Amino acid sequence: MDSQLEQLDQEIIHYLQKIDSNLNESFKIITQDIIPEIRQYGQHCDNIMDSCQWLVTMFEQTGNVQLFGDANGDGTDSIFPGQVLEQDANGSSSGNLNGSSQSNGEGEDDDFHTAKITTTGQMLKLPEFSDDDDDYANNAGKRKRDNEDKDADGSSNTNSTLQRQNRKRKASLLLQQQYGSNSSSIPSPVIQSKKRSDTHPTNNDESDGYESSPLRNEAHNSTILEFPTAE
Amino acid sequence: MENPYESTQRNILSRIINNMTRLNQSVVTMNQELKIINAKNQQLCTVATICDNYQESVQFNLTTTDQLKPAANK
């Protein structure tokens, strides 16, 4: 009887270790193989879209309509709201034939407007809050420096707005993988609240609509984390 | 008497939970990427449909006005 129990226990341990190693392996495969491939695919899709931009402009001006005003919002609204605004602004200006013809001045303007997004893709500050402009300006400078570093690193054609936004998103994903942080589309409430409390010490939770969700407050108080997978 | 395997199992279980959490996050990240790419490809699809329709209407117009000529051989 005892020997049987012991054997069962050992089997259980063996299977648990198997499960563990399998999970580890699947995590590695996803982060090291699949996600880079997906990113590359997205890059190619961006290139295709950039190349077809003249068709979009032509049809838009021919039919006097705006084709992708809503589609941009649907795709990236929940993750990068600032960039969506920027995309809409670029899309509504009918003078641009394609994204690669935009000047560097517009690019810097772009940096300034998207500065409320940190490099981890988290929203630092809603646009309507105007009480801490110093943090805003600091973050803008930081982001500009980051982008200059990124530009110096490699990629040659840096003028397209889409590509710039794509690189920002990718940098955030890289950071996430490197530090194993929890900043995904549904960022970890604890880290988010820590980050927000670090960067905005004057904000309290009652006055901040963004953190007034009961889920966030619960997670902030207790140590149990829930990772919703509503995707 | 305490089972000597229990602590080992508990450790492995906690590791499994950690791994599961990480895996979940990476899957969520992957889903976001795919979602964004999907939105972009939707635009591409729209452009392709418009081009298709444009080609059809050009074909129809040229045919009905008898102006359709065979493509020039290079």
Side-chain angles (χ1 to χ4, degrees):
Chain A
M1 183 70 183
D2 273 353
S3 68
Q4 264 187 340
L5 266 180
E6 194 157 327
Q7 198 180 348
L8 272 179
D9 270 329
Q10 282 177 351
E11 260 183 54
I12 287 174
I13 286 180
H14 179 240
Y15 282 120
L16 283 179
Q17 279 174 342
K18 242 186 186 175
I19 291 172
D20 186 36
S21 69
N22 280 340
L23 281 180
N24 214 359
E25 191 154 345
S26 48
F27 173 74
K28 262 186 202 162
I29 287 175
I30 286 184
T31 49
Q32 292 178 3
D33 294 344
I34 298 181
I35 289 183
E37 294 287 330
I38 290 177
R39 274 192 213 144
Q40 214 172 350
Y41 174 60
Q43 189 95 41
H44 291 158
C45 288
D46 279 351
N47 288 340
I48 294 174
M49 201 59 210
D50 277 347
S51 307
C52 291
Q53 199 67 39
W54 67 275
L55 271 177
V56 178
T57 314
M58 184 182 85
F59 285 126
E60 274 180 350
Q61 291 184 355
T62 308
N64 199 14
V65 289
Q66 187 170 3
L67 284 179
F68 302 127
D70 295 330
N72 279 337
D74 286 340
T76 55
D77 197 11
S78 60
I79 315 173
F80 304 109
Q83 295 184 0
V84 172
L85 287 180
E86 195 61 27
Q87 277 181 357
D88 287 344
N90 283 334
S92 62
S93 64
S94 60
N96 293 331
L97 267 182
N98 55 18
S100 61
S101 69
Q102 291 171 354
S103 65
N104 280 330
E106 274 189 41
E108 289 186 5
D109 195 30
D110 183 17
D111 284 344
F112 180 74
H113 284 300
T114 54
K116 53 185 169 295
I117 314 287
T118 66
T119 49
T120 52
Q122 292 172 342
M123 206 166 62
L124 268 185
K125 174 175 174 297
L126 292 173
E128 59 264 25
F129 296 152
S130 62
D131 50 352
D132 38 13
D133 280 333
D134 290 341
D135 281 347
Y136 198 47
N138 285 337
N139 286 320
K142 213 184 296 173
R143 279 200 62 79
K144 207 172 283 183
R145 275 199 303 277
D146 285 346
N147 280 324
E148 283 170 4
D149 289 346
K150 265 183 276 170
D151 288 345
D153 273 342
S155 47
S156 55
N157 46 358
T158 59
N159 288 330
S160 166
T161 313
L162 273 178
Q163 286 174 352
R164 292 178 71 87
Q165 288 164 358
N166 204 17
R167 273 209 314 281
K168 282 172 200 163
R169 187 157 43 79
K170 279 166 189 168
S172 78
L173 287 168
L174 265 181
L175 275 177
Q176 171 190 344
Q177 279 174 14
Q178 189 172 354
Y179 297 113
S181 72
N182 303 327
S183 60
S184 50
S185 80
I186 313 156
S188 167
V190 168
I191 286 187
Q192 177 95 3
S193 50
K194 266 186 202 162
K195 195 176 207 53
R196 287 182 62 84
S197 61
D198 283 343
T199 51
H200 304 287
T202 56
N203 279 352
N204 52 356
D205 286 352
E206 286 77 13
S207 69
D208 196 348
Y210 188 67
E211 288 198 338
S212 63
S213 157
L215 175 66
R216 285 177 193 286
N217 289 336
E218 267 177 26
H220 188 69
N221 293 332
S222 65
T223 56
I224 299 172
L225 297 183
E226 286 186 7
F227 296 93
T229 57
E231 304 281 326
Chain B
M1 172 182 142
E2 194 179 341
N3 191 353
Y5 293 103
E6 193 179 325
S7 65
T8 316
Q9 288 177 6
R10 211 179 299 149
N11 281 338
I12 299 178
L13 275 177
S14 68
R15 272 182 51 188
I16 287 178
I17 291 172
N18 270 341
N19 275 336
M20 203 68 208
T21 311
R22 284 194 310 167
L23 186 67
N24 201 5
Q25 286 171 17
S26 62
V27 168
V28 167
T29 309
M30 194 175 73
N31 277 346
Q32 286 168 26
E33 287 272 330
L34 287 176
K35 208 170 156 186
I36 293 170
I37 289 174
N38 209 10
K40 279 176 191 158
N41 282 350
Q42 202 71 38
Q43 300 180 6
L44 208 56
C45 185
T46 311
V47 175
T49 313
I50 293 173
C51 280
D52 208 13
N53 289 341
Y54 180 67
Q55 192 261 343
E56 275 181 19
S57 60
V58 165
Q59 189 86 17
F60 174 75
N61 275 313
L62 288 181
T63 313
T64 48
T65 54
D66 249 354
Q67 287 177 327
L68 183 62
K69 292 170 186 169
N73 289 327
K74 287 182 180 175

